[in-house]
Amino acid sequence: MGETCASCKPFITEEDGVLKVRTCAWSPPGDHPVGCGMFIHVKDGKIVKVEGDPSHPITQGRLCPRCIALDEVVYHKDRLLSPMKRAREDRGKDAWEKISWDEAYDLLEEKIRGFQENYGAECIFTLTGTGRESTLYAPVYGPAIMNTPNGASTYPFSGEACYGPRATIVNYLLGAGVPEIDSAQFFPDRYDDPRWVCPKYIMVWGKDPLYSSPDGFFGHSIIDIMKRGAKIITVDPRLTWLGAHSEYHLQLRPGTDAAVGMGFLNVIISEDLYDHDFVEKWCYGFEELSEAVKPWTPEKVQEVSWVDPEQLVGAARAFATNAPSTATWGVALDQSKQSTQAAQCFMAICAICGYIDVPGGITITKPTSFIGQWRYDMSDTLTEGMAEKHIVDPTGKYRMFNTGAAMGGVQGDTLLNWLEGMYKDYPEYYPLRMCWLIGSNPLACMADQPQRWYAAMKDLDFIVAQDIFMTPTIMGLCDLVLPLSTFAEHDGLVTPNYGRNQHFVGAMNTAVENPNTKSDLEILVDMGKRMRPEIWGDFTTIDDFFDTKLKENYGYGIEELREKSVIQADYKYRKYETGDLRDDGQPGFQTVTGRVELYSYVLEAYDEKPVPYFEEPDYSPVSQPPEVVEKYPLVYTTGGRHISAFHSEHRQVPSLRALHPDPLVTINPATAEKYGIREGDWVRVDTMFGKCTQKAHLTYEVNEKTIHVEHAWWFPEQDGEAPNLFGVFDANANNLIPHESVGVTGYGAPYKNGICSITRVDSMKD
C-alpha cells in the first residue's frame, strides 16, 4: 500500500506515517460471521495495532481476543506462505516441496481433468467447513469448477448436525430463515430506535453465545438487553455465565431437549397461557399439538430429563405471560438424534406465545440472501445427467435429506459409508477418487469416528486443501496445499448469517499485502476461469465479482459499501400480515397451509410424525441394558468452546493458547472425589466407541451425573508426522461419538449426548 492510499480510499486515513484501515473482520483466521468492526493500524507495511470501531452498528467497538491477536496470526512463523506438494506415498510425512502458484494451479487442473475424463466428474467431492468466509464460496467449487454434483455444502458431519437441522425444519414449519433474537440488529441507532421493544425474557436454549457469537449473532447483545431490563431463561446441561444470571435454569439431561420442549408446551397450553389470536389466525395444527404434549406433565419431564418441575413450570409461565419475549437456540438442538422434534418444540413455543416477527420477539426473513442464494444457483451449471449422479444413500434412508433439503450436499454418514465401500454392491455406487477441502479440518473438529474417516480418505487418489496453517488433516491426507490470506490481507465481504436474516453487509478491506497467499474467492475465480471459462470469464477482477453480486442482491455496489463500511438491511415487523413472507404476495407464511405449521404436512410426506414426540437417545442410561450402564455410568456432553479459539483454529497462537492451554473435561467435585480425580489430573473418557484424554476441571457447572468434554483439540507443538499427526486423536471428543446414530430425516446425531466412564491416568497418551 503506497503513500497515496489514504487520499484515494475512503476507508483509509493516515496520521504520523501510520495508516488506519477501517474494515470488518471475518476469516481466516476462523470466526463465526459477526463481522466485528475494527481499525487495523499499519506502519511500514506491517500491522502494529488493532482496535474496535465504535461506529460499527453491531459490535460498537468491542473485539474478541481472536481479533486482538490478529498480528500474531499474520506474522506467525508457522504460517503457510507458499503452495506445496508431495507424493501420494508421502502422506503423513513432512515431505513437502514448495512450488509456485502457477505450478499448483497446473497440477490441480491436470488432476481434475484427468479424473473427469477417466472416471467422470462425479468421482470428485468437496468437504466444507463452517463459519469462515469460505462458507460463502465453498459450495461453488464442486459444480461451477469441477462439474461434480458432490460439491455443495458437504460436511464430514454425522447427521449434518450443525445448523442444517434447524434451517431445514424452520423452512418447513415457517417457510422462512432461521429466527433469532430481536436485538435491534437491523436499526442504525439500535436500541434507541422507536420501532424496537425490549424483550421481557430471553430464553437461551442449548447455546453459550457470550463465548461463541454463533451464526452471525453477536452474543454480547444479550448483555446489552439485560442492562435494559430483560431477564434470562436458560436450558442447558451446564451452568454457564448466563445460567448463573438466569431467573430459571433448566438443567436437563443431554439429549432430552424434545422432552423438555413438550413439557414446556404442556404447561403453556394446559394453563391457557398461549396467544389465542395468533394461534387462531396464523397457526395450523394446534389441536394436534395439544394432544401430542398432553402426557408431558412436569413430573414426567423430570423423570426423563432430570429438570426440576418447579423450574419448568416457572419458566414456561414467565415466558408465555411476559410479552414480548424472545428466544435463541444453538447446536445442542441439532446435535441429538431428535433434532427435528426438538426444533419443532422450540418453534411451537415461540409461535403459540405470539412472539414471531414482532418487536422484541424473534426476527425472521425469507431464506434468500447473498450468503444463501447465488452459490446454490451454481447447481444449475452441472452438465446434463450429472445431477442424477449425486450421492445419496442407496438403501433409501434419509429420504427427507436426499430430496433436496441439503441443496446438493452429501449426507455425512452416507459419505463415510460410501468411502468405506459399504454400498459397492448397489448399482448406484462408484468409487470416489479426489477431494477438495475448503475451510475444514475434519480430523480435529467435525468428523465423528475420526480415525475411520482418516483410514477411508487415505485410499483417495488425490486430496487438495487450502488453509493458513498446517493442520492434522492436511499433514495426514493431502497431496497439495494452497496458502490462504487472512482477512487483513485481502478484500472481501462480511455477510453475517444471522439466522439467515441478513442484517448487514460489511466491507473487508486489505490492510497489508501478502503476495504469496490468496483468498478463497481468488482461488475460486482463478480455477473457475481455467476450468469453466464460460461461467467465470466475465469476472476480470475480484472487485468485478463483488460489484456484480452486491448489485444483483442489494442494489448497491462495492465502492458504496467500502465508503460506508457497513450497510444494514431494513426490517419490517409482522410481515405475515402484509404478504412479505410469501412469493405470491399473500398474507401468511410460505408453507403448505400458509400458516405456522404446528402439524407439518411436509414431515408427514416423508413418513415422519407431523407433531413432536420424544424418543430416548440410542446410547443413554435408559435405552442401554443395565450391564452397559454399569460400565458407562456417566452422561457426557461436548462442544462448548472457549473464546480464545474458533473450533480447531488458533491453537498455535501464543496469547490465545495462554488463555486456555489444555483440553478440559469438566467434572462435578463430588463425582471427581468418587473416582479419585483432582483438579488438573489427566482423565481418560471411555465410551463403547472410543476414548479421549483431557485434563480435569472440577466445578459445580455440571451435575454429578454429567461431564463436559471439550472438542476440536490438537497440538501444533507436537510431532506432526503420522501416526501422531499433532496428537489429533488423543484428546479428540469425536472419538466418543457413534457413527450413524441419526434421526430418520437424516438430520441430527449425538455429538452432545452419550454414556461414558472416566478414569484418572498419568498422561494424555494413556
Side-chain angles (χ1 to χ4, degrees), residues 455-532:
M457 290 187 68
K458 281 198 297 186
D459 290 337
L460 295 172
D461 295 332
F462 185 74
I463 305 176
V464 57
Q466 51 208 55
D467 218 311
I468 55 174
F469 287 106
M470 181 62 61
T471 68
T473 304
I474 295 173
M475 182 64 82
L477 292 171
C478 291
D479 310 300
L480 175 67
V481 58
L482 308 176
L484 289 181
S485 51
T486 68
F487 70 80
E489 298 164 323
H490 67 258
D491 293 332
L493 297 180
V494 174
T495 55
N497 189 14
Y498 197 114
R500 298 277 171 95
N501 299 334
Q502 209 72 52
H503 58 303
F504 79 84
V505 178
M508 184 190 301
N509 298 314
T510 300
V512 291
E513 305 284 356
N514 191 331
N516 301 312
T517 63
K518 295 180 184 289
S519 70
D520 289 298
L521 179 58
E522 288 178 284
I523 295 169
L524 171 66
V525 173
D526 288 347
M527 286 303 299
K529 292 169 80 170
R530 278 174 170 249
M531 301 301 303
R532 304 192 74 183

Side-chain angles (χ1 to χ4, degrees), residues 52 106 111 124 441 480:
D106 288 345
K111 291 294 184 179
I124 307 170
N441 180 16
L480 175 67

Side-chain angles (χ1 to χ4, degrees), residues 315-336:
R317 289 172 177 168
F319 189 75
T321 60
N322 285 278
S325 287
T326 188
T328 183
W329 47 347
V331 293
L333 281 87
D334 298 333
Q335 294 186 344
S336 70

Side-chain angles (χ1 to χ4, degrees), residues 149-150 152-165 168 172 339-340 390-393 396-415 602-603 606 608 742-748:
N150 301 314
S153 288
T154 298
Y155 300 94
F157 221 141
S158 180
E160 302 300 292
C162 180
Y163 200 73
T168 301
Y172 292 158
S339 64
T340 298
H390 174 221
I391 290 174
V392 298
D393 187 312
K397 290 187 296 185
Y398 315 141
R399 191 160 67 92
M400 189 170 97
F401 185 95
N402 289 334
T403 51
M407 294 177 283
V410 181
Q411 204 266 2
D413 304 87
T414 298
L415 180 58
V602 175
L603 289 175
Y606 288 120
E608 176 60 301
V742 181
V744 296
T745 62
Y747 288 104

Side-chain angles (χ1 to χ4, degrees), residues 308-357:
D308 182 340
E310 290 187 9
Q311 288 286 305
L312 176 66
V313 172
R317 289 172 177 168
F319 189 75
T321 60
N322 285 278
S325 287
T326 188
T328 183
W329 47 347
V331 293
L333 281 87
D334 298 333
Q335 294 186 344
S336 70
K337 184 176 179 179
Q338 284 211 283
S339 64
T340 298
Q341 293 72 37
Q344 280 182 283
C345 290
F346 179 91
M347 287 311 311
I349 291 167
C350 295
I352 69 170
C353 290
Y355 296 155
I356 293 179
D357 208 21

